[in-house]
Amino acid sequence: MAALLFISFIVLLLIGVPVAFAIAAADLLVLLKGDVKLLILVQRMFASTDSFSLIAVPFFIFAGDLLAKGKVSKVLVEFAESLLGMLKGGLSIVSVLAGMFFAAISGSGAATTAAVGATLIPELKKRGYREDSAAALIAAAGTIGVVIPPSVPMVLYAVISEDSVNTLFKNGFVPGILMGVILVAISLYQARKFNYPKGKAFSVGNVLHTFKEAIWGILMPLIILGGIFSGYFTPSEAAAVAVIYAIFVSFFIYRDLDFKGLVEIMKGSAKTSAVIMIIIACSGPFGWVLANYKIPEAIASGVLGISTNKYVIMFLISLIILLAGVFMETSSAIIILSPVFLPLVKAMGISTVHFGILFVVGIAIGMITPPVSS
Protein backbone atom coordinates (compact mmCIF):
# COMPACT_ATOMS: atom_id res chain seq x y z
CA MET A 1 0.00 0.00 0.00
CA ALA A 2 2.87 2.36 0.79
CA ALA A 3 4.32 1.86 -2.69
CA LEU A 4 0.92 2.48 -4.33
CA LEU A 5 0.34 5.62 -2.24
CA PHE A 6 3.69 7.29 -2.88
CA ILE A 7 4.24 6.15 -6.48
CA SER A 8 0.77 7.28 -7.57
CA PHE A 9 1.24 10.62 -5.77
CA ILE A 10 4.64 11.25 -7.40
CA VAL A 11 3.41 10.23 -10.88
CA LEU A 12 0.42 12.56 -10.60
CA LEU A 13 2.66 15.43 -9.54
CA LEU A 14 5.03 14.79 -12.45
CA ILE A 15 2.22 14.94 -15.01
CA GLY A 16 1.08 18.29 -13.63
CA VAL A 17 -1.85 17.43 -11.36
CA PRO A 18 -2.24 20.08 -8.59
CA VAL A 19 -0.86 18.94 -5.23
CA ALA A 20 -4.23 18.77 -3.44
CA PHE A 21 -5.84 16.64 -6.14
CA ALA A 22 -2.74 14.45 -6.45
CA ILE A 23 -2.99 13.70 -2.72
CA ALA A 24 -6.74 13.01 -2.92
CA ALA A 25 -6.38 10.75 -5.97
CA ALA A 26 -3.56 8.76 -4.33
CA ASP A 27 -5.72 8.37 -1.21
CA LEU A 28 -8.67 7.22 -3.33
CA LEU A 29 -6.59 4.57 -5.11
CA VAL A 30 -5.38 3.11 -1.80
CA LEU A 31 -8.87 3.13 -0.29
CA LEU A 32 -10.33 1.36 -3.35
CA LYS A 33 -7.50 -1.18 -3.32
CA GLY A 34 -8.05 -1.83 0.39
CA ASP A 35 -11.83 -2.14 -0.02
CA VAL A 36 -12.43 0.64 2.51
CA LYS A 37 -15.67 2.64 2.56
CA LEU A 38 -15.20 5.90 0.68
CA LEU A 39 -17.12 7.71 3.40
CA ILE A 40 -13.78 7.70 5.25
CA LEU A 41 -12.41 10.06 2.57
CA VAL A 42 -15.09 12.67 3.22
CA GLN A 43 -15.00 12.31 7.01
CA ARG A 44 -11.24 12.76 7.20
CA MET A 45 -11.32 15.75 4.86
CA PHE A 46 -13.72 17.58 7.15
CA ALA A 47 -11.94 16.44 10.33
CA SER A 48 -8.55 17.70 9.11
CA THR A 49 -9.85 21.26 8.78
CA ASP A 50 -11.75 21.23 12.08
CA SER A 51 -9.06 22.97 14.15
CA PHE A 52 -9.26 26.31 15.97
CA SER A 53 -5.56 26.95 15.32
CA LEU A 54 -6.14 26.93 11.56
CA ILE A 55 -8.19 30.13 11.87
CA ALA A 56 -4.83 31.92 12.12
CA VAL A 57 -3.81 30.89 8.60
CA PRO A 58 -6.23 32.99 6.49
CA PHE A 59 -6.01 35.92 8.92
CA PHE A 60 -2.18 36.11 8.85
CA ILE A 61 -2.24 35.78 5.05
CA PHE A 62 -4.78 38.62 4.82
CA ALA A 63 -2.81 40.84 7.21
CA GLY A 64 0.40 40.21 5.27
CA ASP A 65 -1.27 41.07 1.96
CA LEU A 66 -2.72 44.28 3.41
CA LEU A 67 0.70 45.48 4.55
CA ALA A 68 2.58 44.24 1.48
CA LYS A 69 0.42 46.37 -0.81
CA GLY A 70 0.44 49.47 1.39
CA LYS A 71 2.81 52.14 2.61
CA VAL A 72 4.06 50.25 5.68
CA SER A 73 6.91 48.52 3.88
CA LYS A 74 8.09 51.82 2.38
CA VAL A 75 8.24 53.70 5.71
CA LEU A 76 9.98 50.78 7.42
CA VAL A 77 12.65 50.74 4.70
CA GLU A 78 13.14 54.50 5.03
CA PHE A 79 13.59 54.16 8.79
CA ALA A 80 16.12 51.34 8.40
CA GLU A 81 18.05 53.32 5.80
CA SER A 82 18.21 56.38 8.08
CA LEU A 83 20.02 54.17 10.61
CA LEU A 84 22.34 52.18 8.33
CA GLY A 85 22.35 53.88 4.94
CA MET A 86 25.65 55.64 5.60
CA LEU A 87 27.53 52.30 5.57
CA LYS A 88 29.17 51.00 2.39
CA GLY A 89 26.51 48.88 0.76
CA GLY A 90 24.13 50.01 3.47
CA LEU A 91 21.05 49.65 1.28
CA SER A 92 21.63 45.91 0.87
CA ILE A 93 21.88 45.59 4.68
CA VAL A 94 18.63 47.57 4.90
CA SER A 95 17.10 45.00 2.52
CA VAL A 96 17.91 42.18 4.93
CA LEU A 97 16.76 44.03 8.05
CA ALA A 98 13.56 45.16 6.34
CA GLY A 99 12.91 41.55 5.35
CA MET A 100 13.45 40.38 8.93
CA PHE A 101 11.18 43.05 10.37
CA PHE A 102 8.44 42.54 7.80
CA ALA A 103 8.66 38.80 8.53
CA ALA A 104 7.56 39.57 12.07
CA ILE A 105 4.51 41.32 10.65
CA SER A 106 3.33 39.16 7.78
CA GLY A 107 4.24 35.58 8.74
CA SER A 108 4.63 34.82 5.05
CA GLY A 109 7.75 34.51 2.91
CA ALA A 110 5.93 35.51 -0.27
CA ALA A 111 4.40 38.62 1.32
CA THR A 112 7.77 39.61 2.80
CA THR A 113 9.60 39.26 -0.52
CA ALA A 114 6.87 41.12 -2.42
CA ALA A 115 6.75 44.02 0.03
CA VAL A 116 10.49 44.52 0.43
CA GLY A 117 11.36 43.74 -3.20
CA ALA A 118 8.81 46.14 -4.68
CA THR A 119 10.20 48.94 -2.53
CA LEU A 120 13.93 48.26 -2.71
CA ILE A 121 14.85 46.59 -6.01
CA PRO A 122 14.20 49.72 -8.17
CA GLU A 123 16.23 51.81 -5.71
CA LEU A 124 19.08 49.27 -5.59
CA LYS A 125 19.29 49.28 -9.39
CA LYS A 126 19.21 53.08 -9.43
CA ARG A 127 22.20 53.26 -7.07
CA GLY A 128 24.33 50.85 -9.09
CA TYR A 129 23.85 47.60 -7.18
CA ARG A 130 24.08 44.42 -9.22
CA GLU A 131 20.54 43.41 -10.14
CA ASP A 132 21.10 39.66 -9.85
CA SER A 133 22.74 39.73 -6.42
CA ALA A 134 20.24 42.31 -5.12
CA ALA A 135 17.28 40.18 -6.21
CA ALA A 136 18.85 37.04 -4.72
CA LEU A 137 19.54 38.81 -1.43
CA ILE A 138 15.96 40.07 -1.09
CA ALA A 139 14.58 36.65 -2.01
CA ALA A 140 16.78 35.05 0.66
CA ALA A 141 15.71 37.67 3.21
CA GLY A 142 12.09 36.95 2.30
CA THR A 143 12.44 33.33 3.39
CA ILE A 144 12.95 34.56 6.96
CA GLY A 145 9.24 35.39 6.83
CA VAL A 146 8.37 31.75 7.57
CA VAL A 147 10.91 31.40 10.39
CA ILE A 148 10.53 34.53 12.54
CA PRO A 149 7.09 34.52 14.23
CA PRO A 150 4.30 34.77 13.41
CA SER A 151 4.73 31.99 10.85
CA VAL A 152 1.97 30.33 8.83
CA PRO A 153 4.00 27.10 8.24
CA MET A 154 4.65 26.84 12.00
CA VAL A 155 0.90 27.02 12.64
CA LEU A 156 0.33 24.21 10.12
CA TYR A 157 3.08 22.09 11.67
CA ALA A 158 1.71 22.70 15.18
CA VAL A 159 -1.72 21.42 14.12
CA ILE A 160 -0.19 18.22 12.71
CA SER A 161 2.30 17.57 15.54
CA GLU A 162 -0.07 18.77 18.30
CA ASP A 163 2.65 21.05 19.65
CA SER A 164 2.00 24.49 21.11
CA VAL A 165 2.01 27.26 18.52
CA ASN A 166 3.40 29.61 21.19
CA THR A 167 6.34 27.27 21.86
CA LEU A 168 7.17 27.01 18.17
CA PHE A 169 6.97 30.78 17.81
CA LYS A 170 9.34 31.32 20.74
CA ASN A 171 11.87 28.92 19.25
CA GLY A 172 11.71 30.56 15.81
CA PHE A 173 13.47 33.77 16.84
CA VAL A 174 17.04 32.49 17.19
CA PRO A 175 17.31 30.67 13.81
CA GLY A 176 15.52 33.57 12.09
CA ILE A 177 17.93 36.13 13.55
CA LEU A 178 20.93 33.92 12.69
CA MET A 179 19.73 33.69 9.09
CA GLY A 180 19.55 37.48 9.03
CA VAL A 181 23.04 37.88 10.51
CA ILE A 182 24.50 35.59 7.83
CA LEU A 183 22.77 37.58 5.09
CA VAL A 184 24.09 40.85 6.56
CA ALA A 185 27.60 39.37 6.46
CA ILE A 186 27.07 38.46 2.80
CA SER A 187 25.86 42.01 2.16
CA LEU A 188 29.02 43.48 3.67
CA TYR A 189 31.20 41.12 1.63
CA GLN A 190 29.43 42.02 -1.61
CA ALA A 191 29.65 45.74 -0.79
CA ARG A 192 33.45 45.45 -0.65
CA LYS A 193 33.70 43.14 -3.64
CA PHE A 194 31.56 45.27 -5.97
CA ASN A 195 32.41 48.63 -4.40
CA TYR A 196 28.82 49.57 -3.61
CA PRO A 197 28.14 53.20 -2.70
CA LYS A 198 27.34 54.68 0.69
CA GLY A 199 23.96 56.28 1.31
CA LYS A 200 23.09 59.54 3.02
CA ALA A 201 25.11 60.64 6.04
CA PHE A 202 23.69 59.75 9.43
CA SER A 203 21.36 62.39 10.82
CA VAL A 204 19.51 62.28 14.14
CA GLY A 205 16.82 64.51 12.69
CA ASN A 206 16.29 62.14 9.76
CA VAL A 207 16.14 59.14 12.12
CA LEU A 208 13.50 60.81 14.26
CA HIS A 209 11.48 61.85 11.23
CA THR A 210 11.48 58.36 9.65
CA PHE A 211 10.81 56.77 13.04
CA LYS A 212 7.74 58.95 13.45
CA GLU A 213 6.48 57.80 10.05
CA ALA A 214 7.28 54.13 10.72
CA ILE A 215 6.03 53.87 14.30
CA TRP A 216 2.70 52.36 13.29
CA GLY A 217 4.44 49.59 11.39
CA ILE A 218 6.92 49.02 14.22
CA LEU A 219 4.09 48.66 16.73
CA MET A 220 2.39 45.85 14.83
CA PRO A 221 4.77 42.96 15.69
CA LEU A 222 5.02 44.28 19.24
CA ILE A 223 1.25 44.10 19.60
CA ILE A 224 0.92 40.68 17.93
CA LEU A 225 3.84 38.90 19.59
CA GLY A 226 3.50 40.76 22.87
CA GLY A 227 -0.15 39.76 23.09
CA ILE A 228 0.63 36.11 22.29
CA PHE A 229 3.55 35.67 24.68
CA SER A 230 1.91 37.62 27.50
CA GLY A 231 -1.16 35.42 27.26
CA TYR A 232 -3.62 38.17 26.37
CA PHE A 233 -4.71 36.33 23.23
CA THR A 234 -4.03 33.10 21.35
CA PRO A 235 -2.19 32.99 18.01
CA SER A 236 -5.55 32.66 16.24
CA GLU A 237 -6.90 35.72 18.03
CA ALA A 238 -3.62 37.54 17.35
CA ALA A 239 -4.11 36.92 13.62
CA ALA A 240 -7.53 38.57 13.78
CA VAL A 241 -6.05 41.49 15.74
CA ALA A 242 -3.36 41.83 13.04
CA VAL A 243 -6.02 42.16 10.33
CA ILE A 244 -7.99 44.80 12.26
CA TYR A 245 -4.80 46.74 13.01
CA ALA A 246 -3.61 46.54 9.38
CA ILE A 247 -6.98 47.81 8.09
CA PHE A 248 -7.01 50.63 10.64
CA VAL A 249 -3.47 51.75 9.76
CA SER A 250 -4.06 51.49 6.01
CA PHE A 251 -7.38 53.39 6.05
CA PHE A 252 -6.86 56.02 8.74
CA ILE A 253 -3.10 56.51 9.28
CA TYR A 254 -1.37 56.09 5.91
CA ARG A 255 -4.61 56.40 3.90
CA ASP A 256 -3.22 54.25 1.11
CA LEU A 257 -6.20 51.90 0.88
CA ASP A 258 -9.82 52.39 -0.24
CA PHE A 259 -12.80 50.05 -0.20
CA LYS A 260 -12.20 48.85 -3.76
CA GLY A 261 -8.56 48.06 -2.95
CA LEU A 262 -9.63 46.24 0.20
CA VAL A 263 -12.00 44.02 -1.79
CA GLU A 264 -9.24 43.15 -4.28
CA ILE A 265 -6.83 42.26 -1.48
CA MET A 266 -9.52 40.14 0.17
CA LYS A 267 -10.03 38.23 -3.09
CA GLY A 268 -6.31 37.53 -3.43
CA SER A 269 -5.99 36.45 0.21
CA ALA A 270 -9.07 34.24 -0.10
CA LYS A 271 -7.54 32.46 -3.11
CA THR A 272 -4.25 31.86 -1.29
CA SER A 273 -6.07 30.63 1.83
CA ALA A 274 -8.34 28.38 -0.23
CA VAL A 275 -5.34 26.68 -1.85
CA ILE A 276 -3.81 25.95 1.54
CA MET A 277 -7.08 24.78 3.09
CA ILE A 278 -7.91 22.40 0.26
CA ILE A 279 -4.44 20.88 0.60
CA ILE A 280 -5.06 20.47 4.35
CA ALA A 281 -8.46 18.88 3.64
CA CYS A 282 -7.01 16.42 1.13
CA SER A 283 -4.15 15.59 3.49
CA GLY A 284 -6.64 14.32 6.10
CA PRO A 285 -7.32 11.03 4.29
CA PHE A 286 -3.59 10.87 3.47
CA GLY A 287 -2.77 10.90 7.19
CA TRP A 288 -5.45 8.30 7.88
CA VAL A 289 -4.07 5.99 5.19
CA LEU A 290 -0.55 6.38 6.62
CA ALA A 291 -1.74 5.56 10.14
CA ASN A 292 -4.13 2.76 9.13
CA TYR A 293 -1.50 0.87 7.15
CA LYS A 294 1.27 1.75 9.65
CA ILE A 295 3.41 3.24 6.90
CA PRO A 296 5.34 5.73 9.12
CA GLU A 297 6.23 2.90 11.51
CA ALA A 298 7.50 0.82 8.60
CA ILE A 299 9.56 3.76 7.35
CA ALA A 300 10.93 4.31 10.86
CA SER A 301 11.93 0.65 11.15
CA GLY A 302 13.60 0.73 7.75
CA VAL A 303 15.58 3.89 8.52
CA LEU A 304 16.60 2.65 11.97
CA GLY A 305 17.80 -0.53 10.25
CA ILE A 306 20.27 1.60 8.30
CA SER A 307 21.55 3.53 11.32
CA THR A 308 20.51 4.15 14.91
CA ASN A 309 22.62 7.28 15.18
CA LYS A 310 20.13 10.13 15.54
CA TYR A 311 22.54 12.63 13.97
CA VAL A 312 22.90 10.51 10.83
CA ILE A 313 19.14 10.04 10.61
CA MET A 314 18.42 13.73 11.12
CA PHE A 315 20.98 14.53 8.44
CA LEU A 316 19.18 12.22 5.99
CA ILE A 317 15.79 13.70 6.91
CA SER A 318 17.19 17.20 6.44
CA LEU A 319 18.38 16.30 2.94
CA ILE A 320 14.91 15.02 2.07
CA ILE A 321 13.32 18.21 3.44
CA LEU A 322 15.71 20.39 1.41
CA LEU A 323 14.95 18.35 -1.72
CA ALA A 324 11.20 18.58 -1.04
CA GLY A 325 11.51 22.35 -0.67
CA VAL A 326 13.05 22.53 -4.15
CA PHE A 327 9.99 20.95 -5.79
CA MET A 328 7.07 21.61 -3.45
CA GLU A 329 5.41 24.70 -2.02
CA THR A 330 6.07 25.23 1.71
CA SER A 331 2.62 24.40 3.07
CA SER A 332 2.28 21.31 0.86
CA ALA A 333 5.64 19.92 2.00
CA ILE A 334 4.84 20.40 5.69
CA ILE A 335 1.36 18.90 5.42
CA ILE A 336 2.53 15.86 3.43
CA LEU A 337 5.87 15.04 5.07
CA SER A 338 5.22 15.82 8.75
CA PRO A 339 3.02 12.73 9.36
CA VAL A 340 5.68 10.59 7.67
CA PHE A 341 8.66 11.82 9.71
CA LEU A 342 7.12 12.51 13.13
CA PRO A 343 6.93 8.84 14.27
CA LEU A 344 10.61 8.39 13.37
CA VAL A 345 11.58 11.59 15.20
CA LYS A 346 9.63 10.53 18.29
CA ALA A 347 11.20 7.05 18.17
CA MET A 348 14.65 8.66 18.36
CA GLY A 349 13.63 10.78 21.34
CA ILE A 350 14.08 14.08 19.48
CA SER A 351 11.90 17.03 20.46
CA THR A 352 9.12 17.56 17.96
CA VAL A 353 9.48 21.31 18.51
CA HIS A 354 13.17 21.14 17.56
CA PHE A 355 12.27 19.07 14.51
CA GLY A 356 9.54 21.53 13.57
CA ILE A 357 11.97 24.46 13.56
CA LEU A 358 14.46 22.41 11.53
CA PHE A 359 11.69 21.49 9.10
CA VAL A 360 10.55 25.09 8.59
CA VAL A 361 14.13 26.37 8.09
CA GLY A 362 14.86 23.59 5.58
CA ILE A 363 11.70 24.31 3.62
CA ALA A 364 12.49 28.04 3.73
CA ILE A 365 15.80 27.37 1.98
CA GLY A 366 13.91 25.46 -0.69
CA MET A 367 11.76 28.54 -1.33
CA ILE A 368 14.66 30.30 -3.08
CA THR A 369 15.79 27.24 -5.05
CA PRO A 370 14.42 26.67 -8.59
CA PRO A 371 11.93 25.53 -9.79
CA VAL A 372 9.78 26.70 -6.84
CA SER A 373 11.54 30.08 -6.70
CA SER A 374 10.98 30.76 -10.37
Side-chain angles (χ1 to χ4, degrees):
M1 288 298 182
L4 176 62
L5 180 68
F6 289 112
I7 291 173
S8 59
F9 172 64
I10 292 169
V11 169
L12 289 167
L13 280 183
L14 290 175
I15 62 176
V17 176
V19 173
F21 301 120
I23 297 171
D27 295 336
L28 184 60
L29 286 173
V30 172
L31 293 175
L32 290 172
K33 180 74 173 178
D35 196 25
V36 179
K37 291 183 178 180
L38 295 185
L39 183 61
I40 289 290
L41 188 71
V42 180
Q43 288 176 337
R44 298 314 305 171
M45 287 181 74
F46 276 96
S48 63
T49 56
D50 185 19
S51 172
F52 179 73
S53 297
L54 288 177
I55 295 173
V57 175
F59 278 122
F60 275 133
I61 290 171
F62 186 27
D65 287 347
L66 281 168
L67 296 174
K69 293 175 173 62
K71 189 179 176 182
V72 175
S73 57
K74 181 180 178 181
V75 295
L76 288 174
V77 166
E78 289 174 351
F79 174 58
E81 188 178 10
S82 71
L83 292 172
L84 298 167
M86 71 289 189
L87 298 175
K88 193 177 187 65
L91 196 58
S92 56
I93 300 173
V94 168
S95 304
V96 175
L97 296 181
M100 292 175 66
F101 194 86
F102 204 89
I105 296 177
S106 68
S108 165
T112 300
T113 303
V116 177
T119 304
L120 278 171
I121 286 181
E123 188 64 25
L124 286 163
K125 289 168 63 177
K126 181 180 175 182
R127 298 192 191 182
Y129 286 74
R130 287 172 57 100
E131 186 177 356
D132 53 354
S133 62
L137 187 68
I138 289 176
T143 64
I144 303 175
V146 301
V147 181
I148 292 181
S151 164
V152 171
M154 284 186 189
V155 174
L156 297 177
Y157 175 82
V159 171
I160 297 169
S161 66
E162 299 181 350
D163 285 310
S164 164
V165 177
N166 282 18
T167 304
L168 283 162
F169 278 5
K170 289 177 183 177
N171 285 274
F173 282 109
V174 172
I177 291 170
L178 285 175
M179 290 170 72
V181 168
I182 292 170
L183 290 176
V184 167
I186 293 172
S187 301
L188 292 171
Y189 169 75
Q190 289 184 340
R192 283 184 165 276
K193 181 179 180 181
F194 301 120
N195 195 30
Y196 288 153
K198 294 182 179 180
K200 295 179 182 178
F202 181 83
S203 165
V204 174
N206 189 34
V207 170
L208 293 175
H209 173 72
T210 54
F211 175 76
K212 182 181 177 181
E213 289 291 313
I215 184 63
W216 293 98
I218 294 170
L219 284 175
M220 188 168 183
L222 298 179
I223 292 171
I224 297 171
L225 299 175
I228 292 173
F229 297 141
S230 63
Y232 278 105
F233 37 72
T234 66
S236 298
E237 293 166 344
V241 170
V243 169
I244 294 170
Y245 184 86
I247 292 175
F248 172 77
V249 169
S250 297
F251 267 101
F252 301 108
I253 304 299
Y254 296 124
R255 299 180 182 179
D256 56 358
L257 183 67
D258 55 21
F259 183 74
K260 183 180 179 181
L262 178 63
V263 171
E264 290 302 312
I265 294 172
M266 288 176 69
K267 288 179 182 177
S269 301
K271 289 177 183 178
T272 303
S273 301
V275 170
I276 293 175
M277 294 308 293
I278 196 171
I279 292 172
I280 293 172
C282 292
S283 71
F286 184 83
W288 184 89
V289 169
L290 290 175
N292 189 60
Y293 292 102
K294 299 181 179 179
I295 295 172
E297 288 82 352
I299 293 172
S301 299
V303 173
L304 291 172
I306 298 172
S307 173
T308 56
N309 187 310
K310 63 182 180 182
Y311 299 106
V312 173
I313 293 172
M314 287 300 289
F315 175 74
L316 294 174
I317 291 176
S318 297
L319 289 180
I320 295 172
I321 290 170
L322 288 169
L323 187 62
V326 171
F327 296 102
M328 297 175 67
E329 187 268 333
T330 308
S331 300
S332 304
I334 288 176
I335 293 166
I336 294 168
L337 295 179
S338 292
V340 176
F341 290 137
L342 279 169
L344 177 58
V345 170
K346 291 176 181 177
M348 293 186 297
I350 295 172
S351 166
T352 53
V353 172
H354 171 79
F355 174 69
I357 299 298
L358 179 71
F359 202 149
V360 171
V361 171
I363 290 296
I365 295 172
M367 289 171 63
I368 55 169
T369 310
V372 170
S373 65
S374 59

